[in-house]
């Protein structure tokens, strides 16, 4: 390729020496002279040598002129193929600043080595090229081309971030910028640790082959890492002053076992429990931290372990609520709100006051208000509307539980069952019978009695629903004919639960039996799992609140919502953003977009009153530090049939030579200047020494 291809037009000037050579040719006149016949042979030989000398002189001059013209055209040898060659380069440089880059390499932290290589790389290109420098943060300021000086300043300002984009997102970021670089040769460089979790080739397509892609790896030391994978409660609801057991799952890649590693739990910034855990190679560690819930309201817990040198995943944050009690909405039929069966259900729940609070209605409240209840009891609904059934399904999808109690005529079940993705019953099987079995080992009945009774006067019935039992349905109480007397079905979203009573309350003796009240109370206690508000940083951008009736009526008048960071370290400034507030069918959605960039505990506040807490955590896959070796990466590319993507493993001080050799190209001008000098020397030799050569 040529740096100044316009100078190649000068090759037409070679016609000048050719023309001069032709004009210098003269015709000889024959002159008669005596006694020269013996010189005739000598004359022929002299003319032949003279003609040969002139041709060689012409060739030497042509070589000299051509070599000078080609030398000034700046010839270069660039072995790297590019379908769109251009004298100007558009260089996109990605600096991996994900949390895994805090690992140590041979020369220090990987992030410092990456910045050093990026600086050397940009320096190796021409000042006339344009540069696109961006990091894992994907900041808006990095969506433009920079000059060489600006690019070097941007590299110097790069810092570790808490975002870890996948490789396909990085490629797309470069491609978006290359679309703005018409007339320039696109070249992209990934300066990364080649972490396998973020460089999974199976989940992406081959990059655009019109761009020259390059990988510049930085390799960290092979050290084990330990991280907190997840935390969860074992009890359905968190209640005030109730003993709690927090389960903690710890992942690691240690090759040797370690015992007695410390673990700590802080609740609202105060140490609530201390523990230890052991590491077994190849196995995750599950442990339990026990403490006591505080007063009702939102709380924030943080689980911490100690693991150097990679520390970004040693802390896990989660927000949760301690409930004042359990809220039950009792939905009864409009024409029979005061029937005896309705009153018996009310009395069963009232027996657990103040733990359980019941609100009765002949119609369902708004979706936002309904979402604030834990349990919905549909008791004897004969004509439910499609809209009401849709609200029930939405309530279950949001994590609530529903107890369906049919009326004595089994009316209205077809629409409700269809909405809940259940097979509608085919009327009643009217036959007298008794319950034959209760699953005492199920959490709903575990501990109801100190010992499982051997002889029980089981509840009686005179009718049972004739319906098909689904494969995923759990039968908690079975009738003696094999039908489901009480069953539990997980909601289609995997969150809420549907309980189906296979008989009615008007007949039979269930309401007078000792199982009636414990069954209702246990269903209420297990109605909704504690909402564990933990989100992934960079992926989850909003929080949905199911507001109670009071706050729901005030939300329109109040616009002072804010999201603030809790437990601010002394060396950091407080983070406070104003979220976008939007009413949705699931509740009130607070969206913070990309404004929250730091993991930690956060609170959603209304008028400076904390309504909910939540934790932002980095994704667990970033904790898996396993990376591709250069040879493994190349073989993986070959197995997928991708175009070869060069991997430059050279140290930073050799990157300039790599750019010159493979991209900028080796400059060949001095070879042509040498050829011109040789041409001049040949011409001088021919003019000065020709006769001596044949003397």
């Amino acid at each position: 390729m040529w740096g100044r291809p316009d100078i190649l037009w000068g090759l037409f000037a070679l016609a000048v020496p050719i023309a001069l050579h032709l004009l210098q040719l003269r015709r000889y006149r024959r002159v008669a002279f005596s006694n020269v016949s013996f010189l005739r042979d000598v004359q022929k030989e002299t003319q032949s040598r003279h003609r040969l000398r002139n041709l060689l002189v012409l060739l030497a001059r042509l070589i000299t002129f051509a070599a000078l013209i080609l030398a000034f055209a700046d010839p270069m040898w660039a072995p790297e193929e590019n379908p769109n060659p251009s004298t100007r380069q558009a260089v996109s440089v990605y600096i991996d600043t994900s949390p895994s880059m805090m690992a140590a390499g041979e020369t220090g932290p990987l992030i410092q080595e990456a910045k050093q290589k990026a600086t050397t790389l940009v320096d190796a290109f021409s000042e006339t090229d344009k540069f696109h420098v961006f990091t894992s943060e994907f900041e808006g300021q990095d969506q433009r081309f920079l000059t060489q000086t600006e690019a070097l300043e941007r590299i110097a300002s790069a810092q570790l971030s808490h975002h870890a984009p996948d490789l396909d997102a990085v490629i797309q970021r470069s491609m978006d910028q290359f679309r703005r670089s018409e007339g320039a040769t696109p070249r992209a460089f990934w300066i990364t640790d080649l972490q396998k979790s973020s460089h999974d080739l199976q989940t992406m397509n081959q990059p655009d082959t019109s761009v020259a892609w390059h990988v510049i790896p930085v390799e960290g030391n092979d050290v084990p890492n330990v991280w907190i994978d997840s935390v969860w409660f074992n009890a359905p609801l968190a209640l005030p002053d109730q003993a709690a057991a927090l389960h903690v799952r710890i992942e690691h890649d240690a090759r040797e076992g370690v015992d007695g590693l410390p673990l700590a739990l802080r609740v609202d910034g105060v140490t609530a429990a201390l523990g230890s855990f052991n590491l077994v190679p190849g196995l995750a560690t599950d442990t339990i931290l026990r403490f006591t819930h505080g007063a009702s309201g939102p709380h924030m817990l943080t689980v911490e372990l100690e693991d150097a040198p990679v520390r970004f995943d040693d802390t896990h944050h989660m927000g949760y609520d301690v409930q004042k009690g359990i809220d039950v909405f009792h939905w009864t039929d409009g024409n029979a709100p005061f029937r005896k069966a309705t009153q018996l259900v009310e009395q069963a729940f009232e027996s657990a006051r103040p733990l359980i609070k019941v609100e009765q209605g002949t119609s369902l409240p708004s979706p936002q208000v309904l979402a604030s209840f834990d349990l919905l009891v549909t008791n004897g609904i004969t004509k439910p509307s499609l809209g009401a059934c849709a609200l029930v399904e939405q309530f279950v999808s949001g994590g609530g539980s529903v107890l369906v109690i049919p009326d004595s005529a089994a009316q209205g079940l077809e629409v409700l069952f269809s909405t809940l993705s259940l097979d509608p019953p085919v009327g009643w099987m009217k036959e007298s019978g008794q319950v034959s079995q209760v699953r005492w080992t199920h959490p709903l009945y575990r501990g109801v009695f100190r010992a499982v009774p051997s002889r029980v006067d089981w509840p009686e019935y005179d009718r049972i629903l004739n319906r098909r039992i689904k494969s995923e349905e759990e039968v908690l109480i079975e009738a003696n004919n094999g039908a489901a007397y009480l069953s539990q079905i997980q909601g289609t979203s995997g969150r809420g639960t549907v309980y189906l009573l296979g008989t009615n309350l008007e007949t039979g003796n269930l309401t007078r039996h000792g199982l009636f009240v414990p069954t209702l109370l246990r269903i209420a206690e297990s109605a909704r799992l504690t909402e564990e508000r933990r989100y992934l940083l960079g992926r989850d951008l909003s929080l949905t609140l199911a507001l109670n009736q009071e706050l729901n009526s005030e939300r329109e008048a109040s616009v002072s919502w804010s999201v603030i960071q809790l437990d601010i370290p002394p060396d950091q400034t407080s983070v406070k953003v104003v979220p976008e507030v939007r009413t949705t069918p699931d509740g009130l959605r607070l969206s913070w977009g990309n404004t929250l960039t730091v993991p930690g505990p956060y609170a959603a506040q209304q008028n400076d009153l904390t309504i909910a807490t939540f934790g932002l955590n980095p994704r667990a896959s970033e904790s898996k530090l396993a990376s591709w070796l250069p040879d493994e990466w190349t073989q993986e590319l070959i197995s997928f049939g991708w175009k070869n993507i060069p991997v430059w493993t050279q140290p930073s001080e050799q990157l300039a030579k790599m750019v010159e050799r493979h991209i900028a190209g080796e400059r060949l001008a001095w070879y042509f200047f040498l050829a011109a000098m040789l041409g001049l020397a040949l011409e001088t030799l021919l003019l000065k020494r020709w006769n001596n050569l044949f003397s």
Side-chain angles (χ1 to χ4, degrees), residues 380-429:
I381 305 300
T382 57
K383 296 180 180 180
S385 65
L386 291 176
C389 292
L391 283 180
V392 174
E393 194 279 332
Q394 180 179 320
F395 176 74
V396 175
S397 299
S401 295
V402 174
L403 171 60
V404 179
I405 303 175
D407 69 299
S408 57
Q411 297 179 353
L413 295 181
E414 181 176 356
V415 177
L416 183 59
F417 273 48
S418 298
T419 305
L420 296 174
S421 301
L422 303 174
D423 294 330
V426 187
W428 292 109
M429 290 187 294

Side-chain angles (χ1 to χ4, degrees), residues 509-541:
N509 69 341
L510 177 61
T511 57
R512 301 187 301 275
H513 196 273
L515 274 180
F516 178 63
V517 173
T519 296
L520 291 183
L521 296 184
R522 278 301 181 92
I523 289 177
E525 291 176 3
S526 306
R528 190 195 299 265
L529 295 177
T530 299
E531 186 178 3
E532 299 167 350
R533 301 192 188 97
R534 53 171 178 265
Y535 304 111
L536 285 183
L537 185 68
R539 189 197 69 176
D540 300 318
L541 307 177

Side-chain angles (χ1 to χ4, degrees), residues 225-545:
N225 186 33
V226 184
W227 66 93
I228 299 175
D229 180 74
S230 57
V231 300
W232 69 94
F233 286 111
N234 64 335
L237 283 179
L239 299 174
D241 302 321
Q242 183 185 63
L246 182 70
H247 293 252
V248 182
R249 172 158 295 176
I250 301 170
E251 294 278 1
H252 64 95
D253 52 15
R255 299 183 180 89
E256 298 180 358
V258 183
D259 296 337
L261 296 176
L263 188 67
L265 168 65
R266 290 188 293 112
V267 178
D268 299 329
V270 179
T271 301
L274 296 174
S276 63
F277 62 96
N278 304 327
L279 298 182
V280 178
L283 297 176
T285 299
D286 288 342
T287 187
I288 298 177
L289 295 173
R290 301 185 183 278
F291 67 106
T292 301
H293 289 305
S296 61
H299 294 270
M300 191 74 217
L301 62 81
T302 301
V303 182
E304 299 174 323
L305 56 81
E306 295 183 5
D307 173 42
V310 180
R311 302 297 307 272
F312 73 91
D313 50 10
D314 295 349
T315 305
H316 193 91
H317 308 280
M318 186 181 79
Y320 72 103
D321 294 332
V322 174
Q323 304 288 346
K324 293 181 179 179
I326 302 169
D327 294 321
V328 179
F329 189 84
H330 189 191
W331 183 26
T332 61
D333 199 60
N335 56 10
F338 302 109
R339 60 180 182 166
K340 187 174 182 180
T342 302
Q343 296 175 359
L344 291 174
V345 172
E346 296 277 344
Q347 291 173 6
F349 287 127
E350 290 288 343
S351 66
R353 270 190 172 277
L355 178 63
I356 298 178
K357 179 182 178 182
V358 184
E359 182 176 333
Q360 180 184 328
T362 57
S363 61
L364 293 177
S366 66
Q368 294 83 4
V369 175
L370 182 61
S372 65
F373 288 90
D374 303 301
L375 175 65
L376 170 63
V377 179
T378 66
N379 187 0
I381 305 300
T382 57
K383 296 180 180 180
S385 65
L386 291 176
C389 292
L391 283 180
V392 174
E393 194 279 332
Q394 180 179 320
F395 176 74
V396 175
S397 299
S401 295
V402 174
L403 171 60
V404 179
I405 303 175
D407 69 299
S408 57
Q411 297 179 353
L413 295 181
E414 181 176 356
V415 177
L416 183 59
F417 273 48
S418 298
T419 305
L420 296 174
S421 301
L422 303 174
D423 294 330
V426 187
W428 292 109
M429 290 187 294
K430 293 188 177 182
E431 55 183 52
S432 298
Q434 276 186 314
V435 167
S436 63
Q437 184 179 1
V438 176
R439 287 189 57 190
W440 300 111
T441 58
H442 191 274
L444 195 68
Y445 288 107
R446 189 184 302 141
V448 171
F449 299 102
R450 292 185 178 180
V452 178
S454 57
R455 295 183 179 181
V456 181
D457 183 17
W458 299 109
E460 300 176 352
Y461 59 86
D462 66 352
R463 66 196 69 188
I464 203 85
L465 286 178
N466 183 13
R467 66 182 186 86
R468 185 173 66 88
I469 299 177
K470 300 184 66 174
S471 59
E472 63 270 24
E473 184 174 348
E474 290 186 87
V475 178
L476 306 181
I477 303 179
E478 184 177 337
N480 56 10
N481 63 355
Y485 189 87
L486 177 66
S487 61
Q488 172 184 340
I489 304 172
Q490 200 70 24
T492 55
S493 66
R495 297 183 62 190
T497 305
V498 178
Y499 297 92
L500 298 176
L501 185 63
T503 188
N504 67 314
L505 298 181
E506 286 80 6
T507 61
N509 69 341
L510 177 61
T511 57
R512 301 187 301 275
H513 196 273
L515 274 180
F516 178 63
V517 173
T519 296
L520 291 183
L521 296 184
R522 278 301 181 92
I523 289 177
E525 291 176 3
S526 306
R528 190 195 299 265
L529 295 177
T530 299
E531 186 178 3
E532 299 167 350
R533 301 192 188 97
R534 53 171 178 265
Y535 304 111
L536 285 183
L537 185 68
R539 189 197 69 176
D540 300 318
L541 307 177
S542 64
L543 163 70
T544 300
L545 301 176

Side-chain angles (χ1 to χ4, degrees), residues 578-644:
V578 178
E580 176 188 355
V581 183
R582 180 176 298 180
T583 302
T584 69
D586 297 327
L588 201 65
R589 179 178 299 168
L590 307 180
S591 301
W592 54 82
N594 294 317
T595 57
L596 301 183
T597 60
V598 179
Y602 290 85
Q605 295 186 339
Q606 183 190 41
N607 295 331
D608 297 328
L609 175 66
T610 298
I611 304 299
T613 56
F614 63 94
L616 283 180
N617 302 288
R619 63 179 185 177
S621 60
E622 183 67 10
S623 300
K624 301 175 182 178
L625 301 181
S627 300
W628 295 104
L629 295 176
D631 292 341
E632 291 179 341
W633 168 265
T634 302
Q635 291 300 321
E636 190 77 3
L637 292 181
I638 295 174
S639 66
F640 282 94
W642 286 20
K643 178 185 175 182
N644 180 39

Side-chain angles (χ1 to χ4, degrees), residues 132-187:
H132 172 225
V133 179
F134 66 106
T135 66
S136 303
E137 197 78 23
F138 281 12
E139 298 181 68
Q141 65 172 341
D142 295 332
Q143 292 181 305
R144 65 186 183 93
F145 280 111
L146 307 173
T147 64
Q148 190 178 57
T149 302
E150 291 173 334
L152 294 174
E153 293 175 353
R154 179 65 185 95
I155 293 171
S157 66
Q159 299 292 333
L160 278 171
S161 70
H162 301 282
H163 295 271
D166 293 328
L167 180 58
D168 53 351
V170 174
I171 292 174
Q172 187 60 47
R173 196 78 170 182
S174 294
M175 290 302 304
D176 292 342
Q177 195 65 27
F178 284 142
R179 294 187 181 97
R180 309 185 185 101
S181 62
E182 296 182 2
T185 301
R187 302 188 188 277

Side-chain angles (χ1 to χ4, degrees), residues 543-589:
L543 163 70
T544 300
L545 301 176
L547 301 181
N548 57 34
Q549 185 82 29
E550 180 181 356
L551 289 178
N552 190 64
S553 61
E554 294 178 355
R555 74 180 191 277
E556 298 296 341
S558 176
V559 293
S560 57
W561 284 95
S562 61
V563 174
I564 65 170
Q565 185 179 7
L566 305 175
D567 296 341
I568 307 298
D571 58 340
Q572 295 183 10
T573 57
S574 176
V575 176
K576 182 176 182 179
V577 300
V578 178
E580 176 188 355
V581 183
R582 180 176 298 180
T583 302
T584 69
D586 297 327
L588 201 65
R589 179 178 299 168

Side-chain angles (χ1 to χ4, degrees), residues 166 168 199-205 640:
D166 293 328
D168 53 351
H199 291 72
D200 186 3
L201 301 180
Q202 295 182 351
T203 61
M204 56 179 293
N205 298 319
F640 282 94

